[in-house]
Amino acid sequence: MNEKKTMLSGIQPSGDLHLGNYLGPMRHWPGMIETYDCFFFMADLHTITVRQDPAQLRKRTLTQIAQYIASGLDPEKCTLFVQSHVPAHAQLGWVLNCYTMFGELSRMTQFKDKASKHSENINAGLFTYPVLMAADILIYQPDYVPVGEDQRQHVEICRDIAERFNGIYGDVLRVPEPYIAKVGARIMSLNAPETKMSKSLPEGCVFLMDKPEDIMRKFKRAVTDSDTERCVRYAPGEKPGVSNLVQIYAAATGKSFEEIESEFAGQGYGKFKPAVGEAVVETLRPIREETERLLADKAYLESVYRAGAEKAGCVAEKTLRKVYKKLGFLAR
Ligand code: TYM
């Protein structure tokens, strides 16, 4: 019997991976593969809620697989796959649509946010997106879902959907817990620290494949705060810019906020900003180099995602059959 707990997470290949994706959930993943049965995927089905360039999407999906491996996910020890290669996600997604309420989807902050940004394309997929995400999760019956803070609400609705389903059909779906780290779960934009770091604000966003000189430039230009004390201190309410840098430095080096405050005591921001930049350069350097090496070996990457789809497909099919049976669908 398999006693290992299960863990699952995914990232949309809708843009290049950035420091928020890495310091939020991704950096924790490699440490989990020894202890948990892990599934990590490229959430390509989710990307088309917003228009994508097909060639770019294909390229980014492959790059993302390489980045997963380069950041320490050994494909021999966990399952890496592309969401669209496992049809059971969309199949369970349809089922769960019928167990999710219009009202609860209307309350999703990310829907409201994206709908206002893409007012010319408020499609049904954008609205039901959290249901597909619930299917992504529930189909593997994970115990934990490691994500950044912005995905908490989606994991919560996934739990609600699972509980509703179980309330009708018995104990069918495992109700997962979100796994959200204390440090790094909400990395803010470097030039607008009141906004989350995201690819849509590229100047305030550090991408995993950025060259060291670009990373250093972005950190040197990072917005700090116009307070008079000019000391390095973690106080997000008062000093959002500096606190974001402290958080990034803490996540990149493993140092505590107190250690960082005393390291830079009396030094102002002039030394601190390049120090954070250097810590990030050194954190990302091996990932970038290994990604570049892996991207030159397309046959290997192909073998990884094919094997991953095979393994993930078996687990997902099993859950789907169980759900179909409970619903009363005639077995094939
Ligand atoms: P996505 O692709 O927007 O982001 C991927 C992961 O990165 C985290 N993240 C951040 N963490 C800290 N600071 C930031 N600035 C930051 N920006 C992004 C996100 O919280 C997320 O963990 N719907 C999901 C993808 C998804 C998924 C799933 C995740 C689809 N199905 C099932 C887990 C389980 C999304 O759009 O994340």
Side-chain angles (χ1 to χ4, degrees), residues 149-163:
E149 186 57 50
D150 64 330
Q151 293 297 321
R152 184 190 290 278
Q153 198 183 30
H154 291 159
V155 181
E156 291 299 335
I157 195 176
C158 164
R159 289 169 54 86
D160 293 343
I161 297 169
E163 278 165 3

Side-chain angles (χ1 to χ4, degrees), residues 165 169-172 320-329:
F165 194 90
Y169 299 101
D171 216 3
V172 185
L320 187 69
R321 270 199 297 274
K322 192 167 148 193
V323 167
Y324 276 8
K325 192 171 171 198
K326 290 283 179 185
L327 292 169
F329 292 169

Side-chain angles (χ1 to χ4, degrees), residues 8-14 17-26 29 41 43 46 83 110 114 129 132-134 136-137 145-152 154-155 184-189 195-199:
L8 162 127
S9 200
I11 300 181
Q12 295 193 51
S14 53
L17 290 186
H18 58 72
L19 193 62
N21 300 133
Y22 182 71
L23 295 182
M26 250 179 113
W29 294 353
F41 65 101
H46 284 273
Q83 185 189 23
Q110 203 168 69
K114 284 204 174 170
Y129 165 111
L132 180 59
M133 179 161 161
D136 297 337
I137 297 172
V145 183
V147 286
E149 186 57 50
D150 64 330
Q151 293 297 321
R152 184 190 290 278
H154 291 159
V155 181
R186 193 169 168 80
I187 300 292
M188 309 308 276
S189 162
T195 332
K196 185 184 73 162
M197 180 179 282
S198 82
K199 60 180 185 295

Side-chain angles (χ1 to χ4, degrees), residues 1-17:
M1 207 169 89
N2 187 0
E3 293 293 343
K4 264 189 176 175
K5 292 207 181 233
T6 303
M7 182 83 90
L8 162 127
S9 200
I11 300 181
Q12 295 193 51
S14 53
D16 295 332
L17 290 186

